[in-house]
């Protein structure tokens, strides 16, 4: 049975096209493995590419976009389901609710916000949905180094890295998501320590 995989990624049209091409590959591979895509509901940049790739492979796509961004990010009207939310907070909540797993591709501050919110809540035991950063070109290397430094300095607990996977390889990223499916019977004791 496939997962509903939420992909966080760029909506900027200024990025190198290599990221957009990679996002489309991600969408195609999600489809090949029988997964559903949950995305931010835009049809430009990496966000649009991952949805086009998923649909080209026959996957169901669900886009979630706030009303205020429908024209900025150009809403993906080709989505099998396009959900319009009143604001960004409800958008993230709706994406979280509809997803079984989270995959993070290179993106800007919005992508970082989504990554940190899901990572923090998983570290705190608020969910056990798998989270993987897929970074083939090392865009997030400084971020990972920062998180490691914060751990060494005592600002974050070492187990914070138990809540996330990091890889540069697409197949490995999806393997990690599939092997780490959430358990229905999970309890708070099954998660990492109570503080990030």
């Amino acid at each position: 049975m496939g997962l509903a995989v939420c992909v966080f990624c760029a909506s900027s049209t200024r990025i190198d096209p290599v990221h957009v091409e990679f996002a489309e590959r991600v969408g195609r591979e999600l489809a090949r493995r029988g997964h559903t895509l949950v995305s931010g509901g835009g049809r430009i940049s990496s966000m649009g590419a991952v949805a086009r790739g998923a649909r080209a492979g026959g996957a169901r796509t669900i886009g979630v976009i706030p009303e205020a961004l429908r024209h900025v990010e150009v809403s993906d009207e080709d989505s099998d389901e396009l959900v319009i939310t009143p604001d960004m907070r409800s958008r993230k909540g709706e994406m979280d609710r509809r997803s079984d797993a989270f995959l993070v591709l290179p993106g800007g501050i919005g992508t970082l916000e989504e990554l940190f919110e899901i990572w923090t809540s998983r570290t705190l035991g608020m969910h056990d949905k798998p989270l993987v950063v897929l970074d083939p070109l090392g865009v997030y290397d400084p971020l990972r180094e920062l998180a490691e430094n914060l751990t060494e300095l005592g600002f974050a607990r070492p187990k914070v890295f138990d809540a996330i996977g990091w890889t540069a390889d697409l197949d490995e990223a999806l393997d990690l998501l599939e092997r780490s499916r959430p358990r229905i019977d999970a309890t708070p004791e099954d998660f990492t320590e109570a503080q990030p």
Side-chain angles (χ1 to χ4, degrees):
M1 182 176 165
L3 297 169
V5 178
C6 181
V7 177
F8 297 131
C9 59
S11 61
S12 170
T13 57
R14 300 175 59 201
I15 62 173
D16 189 313
V18 69
H19 296 292
V20 178
E21 292 162 12
F22 182 73
E24 187 165 350
R25 275 187 53 212
V26 170
R28 287 180 182 273
E29 185 60 18
L30 285 170
R32 192 187 71 76
R33 291 182 180 225
H35 301 312
T36 294
L37 170 70
V38 179
S39 76
R43 65 177 171 90
I44 58 175
S45 192
S46 296
M47 192 185 300
V50 72
R52 285 191 302 276
R55 280 194 294 274
R60 175 174 165 75
T61 61
I62 301 168
V64 184
I65 192 166
E67 179 63 45
L69 293 184
R70 286 186 74 181
H71 301 295
V72 176
E73 293 183 353
V74 192
S75 57
D76 183 11
E77 302 295 336
D78 293 328
S79 292
D80 293 296
E81 184 179 358
L82 184 63
V83 180
I84 311 300
T85 64
D87 53 41
M88 289 291 282
R89 287 181 183 273
S90 53
R91 176 202 217 178
K92 289 189 296 180
E94 190 69 15
M95 292 171 79
D96 296 354
R97 185 181 70 77
R98 290 171 173 265
S99 302
D100 301 312
F102 301 92
L103 183 65
V104 183
L105 304 182
I109 59 172
T111 303
L112 289 176
E113 179 193 21
E114 292 160 336
L115 164 61
F116 278 116
E117 184 167 325
I118 295 300
W119 190 4
T120 300
S121 58
R122 189 169 197 270
T123 301
L124 292 172
M126 296 176 177
H127 71 86
D128 73 338
K129 298 176 182 182
L131 167 64
V132 173
V133 173
L134 173 54
D135 186 18
L137 299 178
V139 171
Y140 289 136
D141 285 352
L143 174 63
R144 187 173 184 179
E145 184 179 343
L146 173 62
E148 289 169 349
N149 289 341
L150 290 173
T151 301
E152 289 174 13
L153 293 169
F155 289 106
R157 296 176 185 263
K159 288 190 175 183
V160 73
F161 283 99
D162 294 344
I164 191 169
W166 297 77
T167 182
D169 182 77
L170 174 55
D171 286 328
E172 183 181 8
L174 296 185
D175 288 347
L176 285 169
L177 293 181
E178 291 166 358
R179 282 198 305 264
S180 305
R181 313 177 164 250
R183 294 194 346 255
I184 294 172
D185 62 342
T187 65
E189 291 75 28
D190 295 317
F191 299 98
T192 55
E193 292 181 78
Q195 293 183 3

